[in-house]
Amino acid sequence: MNTASGEYLQLELLDKDDKAFAWSGGGRHINASKKLGAALYAKDSGYTKNDKLVYGFYLFNSPPGDEPLRMSFREIGVELELRPNAVSKSVGSLHRGGYLLEAEKVGRVKFYKLNPRAAYDGSSGQQRHATQHARHPSTTCPPEKKEAS
């Protein structure tokens, strides 16, 4: 084992001129559910292109653990080249579907985090603890409002 990187190497498989693979990209790695991700991105899921774009933004920009992404819809919109209203609508859809969970409220501003059942950045023990009370995401986008009967 390379004690600096934690990477296992099978040295007998390397030629004398080969070098072990190095994680040169850096950064943390997340545990994401391929099944839930594929269902979200499916053509007939009911989630829009913007919803999928916003989910990807949360996936790659959220802080580790149960911390919410503390960015305004305007800031996210600037990064994604979307209007704040479009970001708000997508966050609402992802929240109704359970992919994003409300984590914090400061005044009237709500901050959201990834549902740990869909994706988590942290140890497996932390993820098991975080999923104890997290709901299961819906793989089809729930309607915005209930219809009157």
Side-chain angles (χ1 to χ4, degrees), residues 17 22 39 50 61 74 88 106 120 123 139-140 142:
D17 296 327
N50 285 353
N61 290 281
R74 181 178 307 278
S88 175
V106 179
Y120 194 79
S123 71
T139 56
T140 55

Side-chain angles (χ1 to χ4, degrees), residues 132-148:
Q132 287 177 347
H133 302 291
R135 65 187 188 145
H136 290 274
S138 172
T139 56
T140 55
C141 187
E144 192 166 346
K145 295 180 183 176
K146 291 183 180 178
E147 295 180 21

Side-chain angles (χ1 to χ4, degrees):
M1 174 193 263
N2 181 336
T3 56
S5 68
E7 181 181 13
Y8 288 109
L9 303 173
Q10 283 187 273
L11 296 178
E12 65 274 6
L13 297 178
L14 296 177
D15 291 332
K16 69 176 187 168
D17 296 327
D18 287 341
K19 293 186 179 173
F21 180 78
W23 293 100
S24 59
R28 297 180 54 84
H29 295 167
I30 59 170
N31 177 20
S33 168
K34 289 179 74 172
K35 182 178 179 181
L36 290 172
L40 171 80
Y41 282 86
K43 185 177 180 180
D44 61 349
S45 70
Y47 291 98
T48 67
K49 288 181 183 180
N50 285 353
D51 297 346
K52 298 166 188 177
L53 189 63
V54 168
Y55 180 72
F57 187 84
Y58 269 84
L59 188 63
F60 294 113
N61 290 281
S62 291
D66 276 341
E67 290 296 311
L69 178 63
R70 291 184 180 92
M71 290 179 74
S72 69
F73 294 158
R74 181 178 307 278
E75 292 171 315
I76 295 171
V78 167
E79 293 291 323
L80 297 177
E81 299 177 356
L82 295 174
R83 293 185 176 152
N85 288 347
V87 174
S88 175
K89 186 174 180 179
S90 290
V91 167
S93 293
L94 292 165
H95 176 61
R96 281 192 316 280
Y99 282 92
L100 297 179
L101 303 176
E102 186 178 328
E104 187 176 272
K105 191 171 182 179
V106 179
R108 294 183 343 183
V109 178
K110 296 176 185 177
F111 294 106
Y112 295 86
K113 66 179 182 177
L114 289 166
N115 185 330
R117 291 186 185 277
Y120 194 79
D121 180 357
S123 71
S124 61
Q126 291 170 327
Q127 185 175 16
R128 280 192 307 275
H129 178 71
T131 58
Q132 287 177 347
H133 302 291
R135 65 187 188 145
H136 290 274
S138 172
T139 56
T140 55
C141 187
E144 192 166 346
K145 295 180 183 176
K146 291 183 180 178
E147 295 180 21
S149 323

